[in-house]
């Protein structure tokens, strides 16, 4: 090796030594700042969350929430804690957690998501049909009413949110179940010879649960109940409305038959000129 080049190699060796001593150029070993630490801790928790392992994910999210409360990951971790509660079917606790998120962070971009998840928590409490239990429509509909109210609120307030399509589907199911429940109660009163009470229930179906899909049956039963109450005029109006609104249904065909009978009886009672 030429003698005159030795200083150059010495300088290079010194530079490499300093570079290695500093940990090289790898960013993975660069000391993390507050925000980076929060992001990394949140990412670790998300790995368990995506595997639906809330046993480990929930305490990890709570740690992010507590230790990095001034980072944006604190809010996200708070929301994921609520998600874990919902995933574990702790509906009351989940709803409370989402509501607290909404209350404490009213301008956060995830507010619509939290509103939807509250509705989902109510929907999951709606009774299902099960082999050994009475049909869903015969059971307590408190959760169904709360679900429908929350779904309508969410759809109205956030019509462009990504979960509106799912919410509308849930709302239709809740609406149908509530209407079927009212039909069940109306039948209950009719079986016990209380037609006026049945009329009230059927009017609820037609006024409060439009779009449920049971309207033709409700109209027909309401008209028949008026006939039972010897009120052909009211029955005539109901049958006419049924035939007009739902002309292609089986119930409309029955309504037209009733209308013909009412018309013939009315004509027979009319004195000849």
């Amino acid at each position: 090796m030429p003698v005159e080049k030795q200083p150059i190699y010495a300088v290079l060796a010194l530079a490499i030594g300093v570079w290695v001593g500093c940990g090289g150029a790898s960013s993975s070993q660069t000391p993390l700042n507050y925000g980076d630490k929060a992001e990394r801790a949140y990412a670790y928790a998300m790995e368990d969350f995506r595997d639906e392992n809330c046993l480990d994910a929930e305490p990890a999210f709570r740690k992010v929430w507590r230790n990095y409360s001034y980072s944006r990951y604190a809010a996200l971790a708070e929301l994921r804690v609520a998600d874990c509660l919902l995933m574990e079917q702790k509906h009351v606790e989940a709803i409370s957690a989402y509501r607290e998120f909404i209350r404490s962070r009213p301008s956060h971009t995830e507010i619509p998501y939290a509103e939807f998840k509250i509705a989902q928590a109510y929907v999951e409490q709606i009774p299902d049909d099960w082999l050994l239990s009475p049909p869903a429509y015969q059971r307590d509909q408190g959760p169904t009413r709360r679900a429908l109210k929350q779904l309508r609120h969410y759809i109205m307030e956030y019509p462009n949110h990504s979960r509106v399509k799912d919410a509308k589907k849930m709302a239709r199911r809740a609406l149908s179940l509530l209407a079927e429940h009212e039909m069940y109660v109306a039948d209950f009163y009719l079986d016990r010879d209380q037609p006026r009470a049945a009329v009230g229930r059927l009017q609820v179906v037609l006024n409060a649960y439009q779009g449920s899909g049971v309207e033709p049956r409700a109209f027909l039963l309401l008209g028949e109940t008026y006939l039972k109450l010897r009120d052909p005029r009211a029955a005539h109006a109901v049958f006419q409305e049924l035939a007009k609104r739902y002309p292609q249904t089986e119930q409309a065909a029955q309504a037209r038959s009733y209308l013909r009978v009412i018309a013939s009886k009315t004509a027979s009672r009319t004195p000849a000129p």
Side-chain angles (χ1 to χ4, degrees):
M1 177 180 296
V3 175
E4 62 272 18
K5 292 187 178 180
Q6 287 182 356
I8 296 175
Y9 286 114
V11 171
L12 286 174
L14 179 61
I16 291 172
V18 171
W19 184 75
V20 171
C22 291
S26 172
S27 60
S28 64
Q29 295 183 30
T30 301
L32 299 176
N33 60 32
Y34 180 85
D36 293 336
K37 289 178 182 177
E39 181 180 9
R40 187 173 66 176
Y42 180 78
Y44 283 157
M46 281 299 295
E47 290 180 8
D48 287 325
F49 181 73
R50 291 192 184 97
D51 291 337
E52 300 184 0
N53 175 20
C54 276
L55 190 64
D56 293 326
E58 184 182 340
F61 283 130
R62 289 187 184 278
K63 191 173 179 180
V64 174
W65 183 7
R66 181 176 61 251
N67 292 350
Y68 302 102
S69 57
Y70 295 105
S71 79
R72 72 186 186 91
Y73 294 98
L76 297 176
E78 182 182 357
L79 207 50
R80 297 291 88 77
V81 168
D83 287 341
C84 277
L85 292 171
L86 183 57
M87 200 179 292
E88 294 168 343
Q89 297 188 328
K90 298 176 181 176
H91 297 111
V92 174
E93 293 88 343
I95 290 170
S96 177
Y98 288 123
R99 291 203 186 283
E100 178 59 25
F101 178 87
I102 293 168
R103 188 196 66 76
S104 60
R105 306 176 190 275
S107 60
H108 198 279
T109 56
E110 291 294 329
I111 293 295
Y113 172 85
E115 293 278 13
F116 172 79
K117 299 300 278 189
I118 291 172
Q120 182 181 334
Y122 283 128
V123 167
E124 290 184 5
Q125 298 177 73
I126 292 175
D128 281 326
D129 286 325
W130 191 55
L131 182 63
L132 300 178
S133 64
Y137 63 83
Q138 294 185 10
R139 292 151 64 189
D140 174 45
Q141 298 302 317
T144 315
R145 293 188 183 89
R146 289 189 285 275
L148 183 59
K149 180 180 179 182
Q150 178 65 22
L151 286 164
R152 283 173 167 169
H153 163 74
Y154 163 76
I155 293 168
M156 183 175 294
E157 292 294 323
Y158 311 103
N160 298 318
H161 190 244
S162 60
R163 310 227 173 187
V164 165
K165 185 177 179 181
D166 292 336
K168 288 182 176 178
K169 187 176 178 181
M170 292 176 181
R172 283 194 294 273
R173 180 190 166 218
L175 195 67
S176 176
L177 187 55
L178 288 171
E180 289 288 359
H181 179 73
E182 292 300 323
M183 293 292 289
Y184 162 71
V185 176
D187 282 332
F188 174 88
Y189 284 127
L190 288 172
D191 288 343
R192 284 155 183 76
D193 198 25
Q194 298 182 47
R196 294 196 182 281
V199 166
R201 293 293 185 160
L202 293 168
Q203 288 174 337
V204 168
V205 174
L206 296 172
N207 295 328
Y209 301 132
Q210 293 181 25
S212 64
V214 304
E215 291 95 330
R217 284 195 287 129
F219 268 117
L220 183 63
L221 188 56
L222 181 59
E224 292 173 337
T225 305
Y226 278 131
L227 289 179
K228 184 175 288 189
L229 288 167
R230 300 182 183 281
D231 189 347
R233 181 174 296 181
H236 186 274
V238 170
F239 290 138
Q240 269 195 326
E241 191 69 16
L242 169 57
K244 179 182 176 182
R245 288 198 193 184
Y246 308 98
Q248 304 303 320
T249 62
E250 174 188 340
Q251 290 80 14
Q254 292 178 262
R256 287 189 284 271
S257 296
Y258 277 121
L259 287 170
R260 286 193 290 273
V261 171
I262 293 171
S264 65
K265 287 186 176 180
T266 302
S268 66
R269 291 172 185 167
T270 304

